[in-house]
Structures are given as C-alpha cells and as structure tokens.
Amino acid sequence: QYGDIFPAAYRGGSTTALLGADYLRTEDGTIICDEKGYPQISPKKENLIGNREPVFMSGLSTIVKYKGWSLSALFEGRLGGSVANITSRGLWSSGMHSAIEHYRGRQVVWDGVVQAGTDANGNPIYEQNTKPITLDYTTIVNYFYNVSTNFIEDGSYIRLSYVTLGYDFAKLMKNQKLFKGLKFNFTCNNVFVLTKYTGTDPVCNASTGQGGTGSAGIDNSPIPSTRSYNISLSASF
C-alpha cells in the first residue's frame, strides 16, 4: 500500500493492477463537477486506476566496424505500463513540487462537466463546466492530492542504454613482440531517455522484497538512474 494506492491482481485479468481513489466520471471518462465548479470524488476507494503491465517491451542492439574502429549501442523501450508517481505525490504534500509555484492561488476552470438535468428516460444531461475555482491549499489537498489517479502516469519510454566506441590496435602492432593484442573502449551508459513520464524514472521498483503483485512500477523516491562513463584498455601478451 502506498497511501491509498494498492497493487492488486484480478482473477482472469491483470495481475499488475493498481487500485485507488478517482473522480466521479461520465461513461466516456469525463470528470463530473458540482454546481460550484469543484470536481466530485467517487466514494469508492478501490477503483481500477492502472495496469503496470506494458503492451510490449523491445530492444535493439547494433555494432558497426570499420578498419580498427567499432561502434556498438543498445536501444530499449516499452509501450504502455502504468507508473504510480509516489515521488510526485510527496512533493505536492510537502509544498515542494515545481507546479505549485505556478498554480497555487490561481483561478482555474476544471476540465469537466456539470449535470444540467435529465432527459425523458431519466438519464443525466451534462454541460461543460465553466465556473472557476481558486487553487488554494485546501483545494489542492482535497481535490488533487487526495485523488490517486492524478499520480498514475504512462510509463512508455525509449532509452539509449549504452554506446561503446572501441579501437583495436592489432594492425599497428605487427612489428613488435611485447603485445599479442591491445584494445581500447570508451562506454557511456544511460545516454538518454525519451519519455513523457514526469517522475524519477519510468523503470522503477519501490521494494524488491515486496510480496504479492510486487512493487514494480511504483516510483517511491528511488535513487535516480545515473549516467556513467567507462574507459577500458585490455592487453594480451
């Protein structure tokens, strides 16, 4: 459990689901606001709000050689897979999220609809919400921080995992007897990540010792993935 977000499994369905609080929504997923313009929150706390299982994962490795030079690289990626951004939620609760500086104290119109009556069959009729509300501390806590779905994000990404540039000095060492081989390699790891995910890293695990459906896809203030550089010189005699 991470606040009110729960990893869960469904019989005959997802074994990597996420449950939590959500807004009241229309059948097409639009948020329903009250007459004052505030979004309404579902009383049900165990809504299905995400699935950490990706649609697919892939990798592509390549190596190019020219004379004594070699260049190798590994691309990897994932399509889909929800990530619970608990790190972001903690920043909002402590007042340290960068978005607070921009939004706190501003008047906004929540993107949603308001019920304007019912039709002849008793079905609700909705109109676009147009009433502004002020994003003060109480509003942010009650209508944003307390709703789990605000912290469920798409974990799709493309990553260049490493690039290695190497040179084999074999052709330059034919006239000497000390070395049989001499190779130089320069490697950059975790070169870049292309993703819309706003947290630490779309590939995360809150606790590898967690049981049940586990904690993969839970971004709970982990140490960020770092970029590293390695230089190696190997010789054979």
Side-chain angles (χ1 to χ4, degrees), residues 4 13 18-19 33 36 40 44 53 59 65 69 72 79 83 85 94 109 118 135 144 152-153 169 179 194 201 205 230:
D4 57 1
L18 291 170
L19 307 182
C33 299
K36 296 181 179 180
Q40 299 186 66
K44 182 181 177 182
E53 183 181 9
K65 294 183 177 181
W69 292 94
S72 59
L79 177 63
V83 179
N85 195 345
S94 60
V109 176
T118 58
L135 292 182
F144 185 80
I152 305 299
E153 301 185 35
F169 294 92
F179 297 102
L194 301 177
D201 194 303
N205 195 323
N230 300 317

Side-chain angles (χ1 to χ4, degrees), residues 64-85:
V64 179
K65 294 183 177 181
Y66 178 73
K67 296 183 178 180
W69 292 94
S70 65
L71 180 67
S72 59
L74 173 63
F75 287 90
E76 60 171 330
R78 179 178 73 193
L79 177 63
S82 301
V83 179
N85 195 345

